[in-house]
Amino acid sequence: MNFKLINNHILLTLETNLGDKVCVFDTGSPLTFFFDNVSEYSIDGKAYSVRQNPMAAMLAQFKPKIEEMIGVAIDGFIGTDSIANSSIVINFPNKELHITSDTLQLENSIGMRDIHGLPIFEISINGIVLRAAFDSGAMYSFVSSHIVDKLGLKPLNQTIMDFNPMFGAFEISLFNGEIKVGETNLGLQTIAIGSGYDQSLQMLGIDAFIGIDTLKNSEVGISFIERCIEVK
């Protein structure tokens, strides 16, 4: 199915039992949720039921702030419960997303594990290997502020605001560094540093997140069946 890429967020228009809804596709969210009482939805022709999400009420409080950050009105978030035991291909240049129950047989994939559906794998930044997660709800890639010097990141002398429902609004500083995933060199990419990111990374025991800005010119294949990921 086709998607829109707005302010580094993947937006899907989905059929639901309450009509069409616009949702963010977010691999950083383990559960799908809607801001209203949607109970059924479909993605790429496959039907799903909405599971109870204990965080939905809290997230609903931040709906205006989330919409301000994205720049458009949204109706919910599609989490990784929609792709469990499946494979997914996200073609950013063509703005296409496909979910399948088949294996992908990726030629240059690397091994992957997951934490509540969040894909975890190895990347390198400026030649240093890190444990990273792919969060399609993150606008930029980010790393722990504690390893900026180790990675030799170059400051862009630019700051912007970001928002996380768990940590609120916080300022982030932008750097750049060369990112590589498997055999694919993504070149110099914008990398963000911020206090809210540090807390997320520490909770998960990883070093970095790969966000949409880094991948917006790539195709990403993720197989929860074969436990692997490929970026090309």
Side-chain angles (χ1 to χ4, degrees):
M1 68 179 297
N2 294 324
F3 65 83
K4 293 181 179 180
L5 192 63
I6 298 179
N7 198 17
N8 286 341
H9 288 85
I10 298 172
L11 297 183
L12 306 173
T13 299
L14 306 179
E15 294 181 359
T16 80
N17 63 303
L18 297 181
D20 289 352
K21 300 291 182 181
V22 176
C23 298
V24 176
F25 181 73
D26 184 4
T27 57
S29 175
L31 293 175
T32 293
F33 72 92
F34 291 84
F35 292 117
D36 53 15
N37 295 318
V38 168
S39 59
E40 296 178 351
Y41 64 99
S42 63
I43 304 178
D44 205 21
K46 183 177 179 181
Y48 299 86
S49 296
V50 179
R51 296 165 55 190
Q52 183 177 6
N53 187 338
M55 295 186 65
M58 181 197 75
L59 292 167
Q61 300 176 37
F62 297 109
K63 185 175 187 287
K65 188 66 178 179
I66 295 170
E67 291 178 334
E68 178 186 350
M69 180 182 68
I70 296 173
V72 297
I74 61 169
D75 299 301
F77 285 75
I78 303 303
T80 52
D81 54 339
S82 64
I83 54 175
N85 303 314
S86 301
S87 300
I88 181 169
V89 176
I90 307 172
N91 187 315
F92 285 96
N94 293 338
K95 306 296 188 293
E96 293 177 346
L97 180 150
H98 296 292
I99 300 173
T100 177
S101 57
D102 297 329
T103 59
L104 295 180
Q105 299 181 345
L106 303 171
E107 294 182 359
N108 296 304
S109 65
I110 58 175
M112 178 197 84
R113 62 185 181 91
D114 73 275
I115 299 175
H116 301 300
L118 177 68
I120 307 291
F121 51 97
E122 288 189 346
I123 66 167
S124 68
I125 296 181
N126 290 342
I128 297 176
V129 176
L130 305 172
R131 293 164 298 175
F134 168 46
D135 183 355
S136 64
M139 293 189 295
Y140 293 98
S141 295
F142 56 90
V143 301
S144 168
S145 61
H146 305 297
I147 59 174
V148 171
D149 291 339
K150 176 183 177 181
L151 296 177
L153 300 181
K154 296 182 179 179
L156 298 179
N157 299 317
Q158 181 181 356
T159 60
I160 59 175
M161 296 301 295
D162 202 351
F163 176 80
N164 183 298
M166 294 183 65
F167 309 119
F170 55 95
E171 186 177 79
I172 62 175
S173 299
L174 300 181
F175 295 73
N176 70 16
E178 185 181 73
I179 298 179
K180 189 175 181 181
V181 181
E183 295 301 314
T184 301
N185 190 331
L186 298 169
L188 280 178
Q189 297 290 335
T190 300
I191 299 171
I193 308 295
S195 59
Y197 299 150
D198 284 349
Q199 295 178 70
S200 297
L201 293 163
Q202 185 176 11
M203 284 173 23
L204 293 167
I206 59 176
D207 308 301
F209 275 77
I210 296 295
I212 297 301
D213 188 69
T214 297
L215 301 171
K216 62 187 179 185
N217 296 314
S218 302
E219 180 177 288
V220 180
I222 303 171
S223 177
F224 289 91
I225 303 168
E226 302 161 282
R227 314 297 295 174
C228 62
I229 184 170
E230 179 184 74
V231 177
K232 63 180 182 180

